[in-house]
Amino acid sequence: MELRHIRYFLAVAEERNLSRAAEKLLIAQPPLSRQIKDLEEELGEKLFIRKNNGVALTEAGIKFRQYATQIAALADRSVEDIKDMKGLTGILYLAAVEAKAPQIISKWIGDFAQKHPGVEYNLWNGNTDDVVHRVRSGLSEIAVITAPYDAEELVGFEVYREPWAAMIPSDHPLAKKKGRTIKLKELAGYDLLIPSRSSRLREIEEWFAPLDIKPRIRCRLAHMQNAIELTGAGLGIAIFPATVSDYIREGIVIKRITDPDVYATYVCVRSKEHKLSRLGEEFWNEITG
């Protein structure tokens, strides 16, 4: 008796019809009939009673189906268990913006790698617009970006919030004021360096609008390192998430923006259009579970 005999028998027992069972198994009916006959001869019992509209299980067939079901299930489980011994493998394509996002996604990767040491990672960094483009194009499966995002195209959930801060050259008058915060209105009239995203410009203009102030934008930047270098060179005051203080060098002072308190929100996203790979699905379930 071979495993295929078990599977053929179960298909016929389920369909109660040789023709339908043969279609389900993607074989011709005569070979299926021969396999069932061989099985009956080996067992020394009839398993089916032939009828005009199909077949019915005999008493021996009913008994044998109990064992056959267990055998087939055990065979399937053994294959899954052997595959699981190898663990997940392959390359997981991820992306993240700057500031806090690399810390967030690195923590996830570290936790996931402990459970699945055979997985490789391709982690791409850029500004939010570039990262979103990669997710929409299927180049990255999962990413961490800053809000806002298009909920019609992306599935997302919030993972972190942090204040926006001003990076100020250390010889600037505002840098010499006491305290670790700065009121938004104090930035009025000074050249500002801001992230290049279009929605970010609108957001910053909305901060100033209730104060009846139009911000003076000197430069729009795609990457945080450019903001750090240009601030250090005295070009202006950069507005970036407060985590930038972890990367700052001498010659720059960081002050959190207040009145109003404004925050950057980080969101983990995936595409609605592109189905996640098994590896991507496991990673997504891990971070959302």
Side-chain angles (χ1 to χ4, degrees):
M1 184 188 308
E2 298 182 19
L3 186 58
R4 73 170 183 276
H5 292 122
I6 301 293
R7 298 198 186 281
Y8 289 169
F9 165 79
L10 289 173
V12 176
E14 181 180 347
E15 296 295 333
R16 304 295 179 95
N17 183 284
L18 284 166
S19 296
R20 290 198 299 270
E23 291 178 4
K24 181 178 180 179
L25 294 166
L26 302 178
I27 63 173
Q29 182 176 333
L32 176 59
S33 297
R34 285 197 299 271
Q35 296 289 342
I36 297 299
K37 183 178 180 181
D38 290 345
L39 181 59
E40 290 176 328
E41 289 178 353
E42 182 174 352
L43 294 173
E45 293 285 348
K46 287 288 186 181
L47 300 175
F48 297 100
I49 301 172
R50 274 63 177 178
K51 295 184 175 182
N52 291 334
N53 60 345
V55 296
L57 287 167
T58 64
E59 185 176 348
I62 293 173
K63 186 68 175 178
F64 184 70
R65 182 171 61 178
Q66 297 176 8
Y67 292 107
T69 301
Q70 295 176 28
I71 293 169
L74 184 60
D76 292 340
R77 178 61 184 275
S78 67
V79 172
E80 293 175 2
D81 287 349
I82 294 299
K83 287 182 177 179
D84 287 342
M85 286 179 63
K86 298 179 181 179
L88 286 174
T89 58
I91 302 175
L92 181 57
Y93 291 86
L94 306 170
V97 295
E98 297 176 306
K100 190 69 176 179
Q103 298 176 24
I104 296 169
I105 207 163
S106 294
K107 174 64 166 58
W108 292 343
I109 291 174
D111 292 343
F112 196 72
Q114 289 185 3
K115 297 180 180 180
H116 308 288
V119 175
E120 298 178 41
Y121 302 89
N122 184 308
L123 177 57
W124 192 91
N125 292 100
N127 63 35
T128 291
D129 289 341
D130 291 339
V131 170
V132 168
H133 173 72
R134 290 184 67 84
V135 174
R136 286 174 174 166
S137 303
L139 297 174
S140 297
E141 291 197 88
I142 297 169
V144 177
I145 62 172
T146 51
Y149 69 97
D150 188 347
E152 292 186 1
E153 295 188 356
L154 302 174
V155 178
F157 64 97
E158 182 178 330
V159 294
Y160 191 76
R161 293 178 76 228
E162 67 172 326
W164 285 94
M167 287 190 284
I168 310 169
S170 57
D171 59 355
H172 193 284
L174 293 179
K176 297 175 181 178
K177 295 186 65 174
K178 293 182 179 180
R180 297 183 178 180
T181 63
I182 186 169
K183 294 181 180 181
L184 182 67
K185 66 180 181 180
E186 294 181 82
L187 299 177
Y190 291 111
D191 291 337
L192 301 180
L193 320 176
I194 69 170
S196 60
R197 194 178 183 192
S198 297
S199 60
R200 198 65 67 218
L201 172 60
R202 293 193 297 271
E203 179 182 359
I204 291 173
E205 288 177 337
E206 289 172 0
W207 298 349
F208 283 94
L211 304 174
D212 198 26
I213 297 171
K214 182 175 178 59
R216 195 162 79 188
I217 307 302
R218 179 76 181 277
C219 185
R220 297 172 64 180
L221 309 160
H223 299 287
M224 182 177 65
Q225 190 60 42
N226 290 331
I228 294 172
E229 296 301 326
L230 290 175
T231 299
L235 187 67
I237 298 172
I239 295 178
F240 266 76
T243 302
V244 72
S245 61
D246 296 342
Y247 307 92
I248 225 64
R249 61 176 178 79
E250 291 185 5
I252 296 176
V253 174
I254 302 293
K255 292 181 181 286
R256 181 170 62 86
I257 298 172
T258 63
D259 297 329
D261 295 333
V262 285
Y263 292 89
T265 300
Y266 295 84
V267 182
C268 181
V269 296
R270 56 182 283 189
S271 171
K272 285 186 176 180
E273 179 182 356
H274 298 286
K275 180 178 174 59
L276 292 178
S277 65
R278 183 194 170 204
L279 188 53
E281 196 71 47
E282 289 287 342
F283 189 83
W284 181 266
N285 291 339
E286 178 78 17
I287 63 179
T288 56

